[in-house]
Amino acid sequence: MRRNRRRKGHGNEDHERWMITYADMITLLLIFFIVLYSMSEVQKVKFNALIESLHDAFAIKTMETAETNELGLDVPRMPSFNQKIPEQDKSNEEQLDELYMKLQHYIQEHHLTTQLTLVDLPRGVQITFQDKILFDLGKAELKEQALEVLGDVGGLLKTVNNPISIEGHTDDLPIESSEFPSNWELSTARAQSVRRYLQEHIKVDPTRLRIVGYGQYHPKVPNDSDAHRAENRRVNIVILRHSNAEGEAMSDR
């Protein structure tokens, strides 16, 4: 009888011991979650500080209102890579399209297709004047007949606010005179004459204008005949797209 009682008492003691272990486990789990919560609060502060520093460094002005993700971290909405063209740029593209149509109509209406050509390039809308409509051979003074055409074209250029590049080109025949030691000077002087007329007589904003002289080094066609040389003697007026105005490459046409 005594043995049975001892065994029974010993069994009750073992049965209650697991509760101590369970209580210890619950205590440890509680401490663990407290630590996790504390770490998450620290990480949240650090994360938000990182976002602020990136925002300042890259001057991100297109972020929308911050969202909160599942972890409670403030995550700003970044700009989408599929964003549409800004309304201002879209409007300017429409203006360039309209300008192109007006220029095309003007050239056809005045039967200038052999002297003026028009092309819409990635860099902008380009009008090419063959030199015979603007200048005498080897000269940089505008001919009388050129003034009316430049006046009409210049008036259309004022309907947009895009930068304008005026680019002079020559053939490969050398020119050696006291006025123009080389084709560099001749092409630059011709571009300068066009610029001056647009600015002083048509009142095109001078801050929109730039001139470039390329001499004979960017021919449109090979300089292998008189007809081709005449085609290479030209002045391009390029109405530059705003996106290509800075650092854009020169067209070889």
Side-chain angles (χ1 to χ4, degrees):
M1 294 293 292
R2 291 180 179 176
R3 287 182 183 177
N4 292 337
R5 287 178 182 176
R6 288 178 182 175
R7 289 178 181 176
K8 184 176 181 180
H10 182 73
N12 290 337
E13 185 179 351
D14 292 340
H15 179 72
E16 295 174 355
R17 186 175 298 174
W18 70 270
M19 296 185 65
I20 299 174
T21 304
Y22 178 76
D24 291 340
M25 183 182 69
I26 294 298
T27 302
L28 290 173
L29 284 174
L30 179 60
I31 295 172
F32 176 72
F33 283 116
I34 291 173
V35 172
L36 282 182
Y37 178 77
S38 301
M39 292 176 63
S40 68
E41 287 298 307
V42 173
Q43 293 300 323
K44 178 179 178 180
V45 172
K46 290 182 178 179
F47 182 82
N48 289 333
L50 175 62
I51 290 297
E52 287 296 326
S53 64
L54 290 176
H55 183 281
D56 295 336
F58 293 99
I60 300 173
K61 301 182 182 297
T62 54
M63 287 186 175
E64 300 177 5
T65 305
E67 292 180 335
T68 302
N69 66 4
E70 294 179 356
L71 296 177
L73 301 178
D74 295 333
V75 182
R77 297 177 189 167
M78 300 298 291
S80 171
F81 289 103
N82 297 320
Q83 285 180 335
K84 296 181 179 179
I85 298 174
E87 193 63 31
Q88 182 178 359
D89 292 343
K90 180 180 179 181
S91 176
N92 184 246
E93 282 298 316
E94 292 172 349
Q95 290 176 359
L96 288 178
D97 290 341
E98 185 176 352
L99 174 63
Y100 182 90
M101 297 301 295
K102 289 180 179 179
L103 288 169
Q104 189 176 55
H105 177 74
Y106 174 81
I107 292 171
Q108 294 174 351
E109 184 181 26
H110 290 80
H111 309 289
L112 295 170
T113 53
T114 60
Q115 301 177 74
L116 271 69
T117 55
L118 182 67
V119 60
D120 191 358
L121 300 171
R123 67 194 297 243
V125 175
Q126 177 176 287
I127 317 159
T128 298
F129 293 76
Q130 297 306 134
D131 77 322
K132 61 184 178 182
I133 193 175
L134 297 178
F135 309 102
D136 290 324
L137 190 63
K139 301 295 182 180
E141 295 79 20
L142 289 169
K143 295 165 66 173
E144 190 67 28
Q145 71 183 77
L147 303 184
E148 181 180 356
V149 177
L150 273 179
D152 293 338
V153 170
L156 293 175
L157 298 183
K158 293 173 68 175
T159 62
V160 297
N161 63 359
N162 298 64
I164 298 171
S165 179
I166 305 168
E167 304 167 354
H169 299 265
T170 68
D171 60 26
D172 65 342
L173 296 177
I175 179 172
E176 296 180 5
S177 66
S178 58
E179 188 176 9
F180 306 117
S182 71
N183 283 321
W184 285 107
E185 285 81 6
L186 175 60
S187 62
T188 303
R190 287 182 166 183
Q192 186 71 277
S193 294
V194 174
R195 190 277 310 161
R196 184 180 298 110
Y197 188 80
L198 292 177
Q199 177 181 338
E200 296 179 358
H201 297 276
I202 312 304
K203 306 302 179 184
V204 177
D205 183 357
T207 63
R208 297 175 54 197
L209 302 174
R210 77 178 190 189
I211 64 167
V212 189
Y214 289 110
Q216 73 267 29
Y217 297 105
H218 294 275
K220 184 177 180 180
V221 292
N223 285 292
D224 53 9
S225 68
D226 291 340
H228 281 177
R229 288 190 178 92
E231 194 172 349
N232 286 330
R233 297 191 298 269
R234 67 202 189 277
V235 173
N236 292 336
I237 296 180
V238 189
I239 303 93
L240 298 169
R241 287 183 164 81
H242 288 300
S243 58
N244 294 329
E246 295 295 333
E248 56 89 33
M250 194 280 300
S251 169
D252 58 0
R253 286 292 180 266

